Amino acid sequence: MPIPDFVLRLREKVGHDLLWLPGVTAVVLHRDEVLLVRRSDNGRWAPVTGIVDPGEHPAHTAVREVTEETGVSCRVEALVWVNVTDPTVHANGDHAQYLDHTFRCRYVDGAAHVADDESVEVGWFPVTDLPPMDPALVERIRAAVEHSGPVRLAVAGA
């Protein structure tokens, strides 16, 4: 998985220590289907995710990541969930934890395909028949599909 340049510069200073990073999950819906990618780093299905560049609005990140990874154009409909992920240790030994912004996005156009090296497969799946994936990602999809009203905040212990 390509590491953003700003993260590489931070890693020169902090090594593999824990970084707190803003991230996005783009749940792209079209009719009764959701766009998923099979990640190249772990082979698991997931909605499109990415790291917010410095100064970039998270909603713009969601749209950019979808286009870069799948060739699909989408528009953001709503911020549906803000959550803190568990700490992660990446394959290269980097430790990170993400402030995830999950957006419900709507398909605009484009044929879904593998558009970069972050995934090995891309496809549309019925929201009622998802492939096996991390339960936290299923919860993000569910939050996007069922969203109405204000942003959902996931706060442990509140």
Side-chain angles (χ1 to χ4, degrees), residues 23-27 47-50 62 100-105 137 140-141:
V24 300
T25 301
V27 179
V48 173
T49 60
D100 179 69
H101 303 78
T102 298
F103 291 94
R104 180 177 65 208
C105 301
L137 297 174
R140 293 178 202 176
I141 293 169

Side-chain angles (χ1 to χ4, degrees), residues 35-135:
L35 181 65
L36 300 176
V37 298
R38 186 186 293 268
R39 296 173 52 103
S40 61
D41 61 343
N42 62 19
R44 300 190 70 189
W45 286 101
V48 173
T49 60
I51 296 172
V52 180
D53 287 337
E56 185 177 34
H57 191 288
H60 296 158
T61 304
V63 171
R64 173 179 57 78
E65 289 286 346
V66 169
T67 301
E68 287 176 359
E69 294 185 26
T70 70
V72 166
S73 296
C74 69
R75 64 179 163 76
V76 169
E77 289 187 329
L79 173 64
V80 299
W81 194 9
V82 177
N83 192 19
V84 175
T85 68
D86 291 332
T88 300
V89 180
H90 293 283
N92 65 0
D94 288 349
H95 293 248
Q97 190 167 13
Y98 299 92
L99 174 63
D100 179 69
H101 303 78
T102 298
F103 291 94
R104 180 177 65 208
C105 301
R106 188 63 55 189
Y107 169 84
V108 173
D109 66 17
H113 64 277
V114 174
D116 65 13
D117 61 356
E118 293 188 46
S119 59
V120 295
E121 196 173 351
V122 173
W124 292 98
F125 292 83
V127 295
T128 57
D129 190 23
L130 300 173
M133 71 176 69
D134 184 303

